[in-house]
Amino acid sequence: MRKLKSEFIKDEHRTQLMKVFYNRILDGDEKNYEFIGVYEYKNYEIYFDHIPDKKKIIKHITIKNIKGKEIRQDDLELIANHFVGDNYSVQYGLFDNNMASIWEEKGTVN
């Protein structure tokens, strides 16, 4: 797992830009939202955050293939398992499969 972790490279500059952006647009009720970071893996950009939902926090990632190609299923599973665990749901982009949003599912099996 250590080798895999090193393959996910955190972009500190873009992470800080996104944190500043979210701090400016969120109001008081949404302050429990936490943007974790922007990561790169192969040809993918990964945006990782925690979304408050009632009394729990849900892990969420957005994946985008920067070359505009379809997200490979094995890459999607590897990224999802790394960031949110093995229980998750996937929603692909409306018009193509080069973007996907993945949410942690508590208490369900994928």
Side-chain angles (χ1 to χ4, degrees):
M1 186 67 152
R2 291 189 192 279
K3 182 181 178 196
L4 177 64
K5 231 180 185 182
S6 68
E7 293 179 22
F8 292 98
I9 300 168
K10 188 171 187 177
D11 185 325
E12 294 293 343
H13 177 71
R14 286 194 296 165
T15 295
Q16 280 308 112
L17 290 175
M18 294 299 291
K19 285 184 176 188
V20 168
F21 170 76
Y22 282 116
N23 283 338
R24 288 184 180 165
I25 66 166
L26 297 177
D27 64 21
D29 294 338
E30 300 169 315
K31 286 298 182 183
N32 288 333
Y33 172 87
E34 181 182 6
F35 187 80
I36 306 299
V38 179
Y39 294 83
E40 295 175 359
Y41 173 73
K42 293 185 179 179
N43 294 322
Y44 301 103
E45 288 180 338
I46 304 159
Y47 296 83
F48 181 39
D49 53 5
H50 290 168
I51 300 172
D53 181 40
K54 298 178 186 166
K55 293 185 178 185
K56 60 184 175 182
I57 302 293
I58 295 177
K59 296 175 187 174
H60 169 259
I61 58 175
T62 301
I63 303 170
K64 179 180 180 184
N65 187 320
I66 57 177
K67 292 191 174 192
K69 296 182 179 179
E70 184 174 318
I71 297 173
R72 291 176 36 141
Q73 186 64 30
D74 56 335
D75 287 338
L76 183 135
E77 291 173 6
L78 185 134
I79 293 166
N81 284 320
H82 179 78
F83 286 96
V84 299
D86 59 355
N87 293 328
Y88 56 87
S89 60
V90 178
Q91 179 181 357
Y92 285 97
L94 292 175
F95 301 108
D96 52 31
N97 287 339
N98 72 334
M99 286 187 74
S101 288
I102 300 172
W103 289 270
E104 175 182 36
E105 293 285 338
K106 301 259 185 189
T108 61
V109 176
N110 186 17

